[in-house]
Amino acid sequence: MRAIKKSLLGLTAAVVVQFAGGTSADAATLTYHGLAAPGGKTVQYTIDGISKRHGAGAFDMKDESGNSFLAFCIDLFNTIKSSWDYTSGDSFVPVKDQVNTAAVTSNMKKLFTAHFDDALTSAVNAAAFQLALWEISVDTLADGSGLSLLDGRMIKTADGAVYDKTAEFLGSVTADASEGGYKLTFWDSKGSPEGRVSQNLVTATPVPLPAGMLLLGTGMAGLGVMRRRRRG
């Protein structure tokens, strides 16, 4: 696990444990403080035929207690507000004609498991990770397939390092890919006053190894030491 990821995840612990520890919905007021390190890049695409051009990367967010944490946007149809009330849950929440909720949730878990480490190492990777999440949110089919920026609801309108990296990230989201590396918490702004909403978000915390697996690892390491001593 890279040092940059350790430092950023350290900021997330308090808020995620406080609000996302269970399966029931929890409420929180979250504030947006711009793009988080390592920054992001401008991306260009069409969504349902409408051209878009804006920044992409991880969000720097804070809770009511001032705890900082990272979040990624999973909502292409609204605008992030500077402060808004959210509820949290364990599954992706559709916003506008987004379907296949279970498959979308699964694909996002696979993406985080495979590439969250990479997402925090450069602005290009952060933007590519965000772009991949958006693609998953709108183009995932019921069987989990359909992920490409070349067709579907979301289509890229530019080329370059960000789009190449996005294609690489999406290429690892396959039917047999692992999805157990992180616990995802989905933040839903639905039901805010006057019907206005901010963008829906997702946060992640590492899934610790079960105690039995830790003991097994320790035992195997001990056997290795004993064998080396016998050979010596």
Side-chain angles (χ1 to χ4, degrees):
M1 189 177 292
R2 295 178 175 85
I4 186 171
K5 180 186 167 194
K6 286 183 178 179
S7 64
L8 290 171
L9 283 178
L11 295 175
T12 74
V15 67
V16 173
V17 170
Q18 181 176 356
F19 294 121
T23 56
S24 60
D26 295 305
T29 300
L30 308 181
T31 57
Y32 169 70
H33 296 271
L35 291 183
K41 294 290 185 179
T42 298
V43 296
Q44 300 179 63
Y45 60 90
T46 60
I47 178 69
D48 296 335
I50 301 174
S51 295
K52 300 285 186 178
R53 184 180 187 276
H54 52 74
F59 288 172
D60 176 15
M61 306 293 295
K62 289 185 179 180
D63 68 357
E64 298 101 323
S65 299
N67 298 307
S68 297
F69 64 100
L70 293 180
F72 282 92
C73 171
I74 50 174
D75 174 3
L76 284 168
F77 306 103
N78 294 291
T79 302
I80 189 73
K81 302 296 189 295
S82 60
S83 180
W84 209 255
D85 294 334
Y86 284 82
T87 56
S88 68
D90 296 329
S91 298
F92 172 75
V93 179
V95 176
K96 179 181 178 183
D97 301 325
Q98 293 172 311
V99 294
N100 304 319
T101 301
V104 170
T105 301
S106 175
N107 277 350
M108 288 185 177
K109 289 179 179 179
K110 292 174 180 177
L111 181 69
F112 271 91
T113 297
H115 294 298
F116 187 44
D117 288 9
D118 303 325
L120 303 179
T121 59
S122 72
V124 167
N125 284 7
F129 193 85
Q130 176 62 88
L131 202 56
L133 280 170
W134 283 331
E135 168 63 13
I136 289 171
S137 75
V138 295
D139 280 327
T140 296
L141 301 179
D143 63 357
S145 65
L147 302 181
S148 171
L149 291 178
L150 301 177
D151 53 33
R153 298 181 66 187
M154 184 178 188
I155 301 174
K156 68 174 185 173
T157 55
D159 293 301
V162 171
Y163 308 95
D164 293 342
K165 182 60 69 171
T166 301
E168 177 186 327
F169 286 173
L170 291 173
S172 66
V173 181
T174 60
D176 58 350
S178 172
E179 59 176 66
Y182 289 88
K183 180 188 185 305
L184 301 190
T185 300
F186 295 86
W187 297 91
D188 177 24
S189 65
K190 184 176 62 177
S192 299
E194 301 175 11
R196 293 177 290 127
V197 294
S198 184
Q199 286 179 326
N200 285 358
L201 309 171
V202 62
T203 58
T205 49
V207 174
L209 286 173
M213 291 295 292
L214 292 174
L215 291 174
L216 176 61
T218 303
M220 295 298 289
L223 287 174
V225 171
M226 291 177 64
R227 287 172 180 168
R228 285 195 294 272
R229 286 178 177 174
R230 288 175 181 173
R231 289 175 183 171

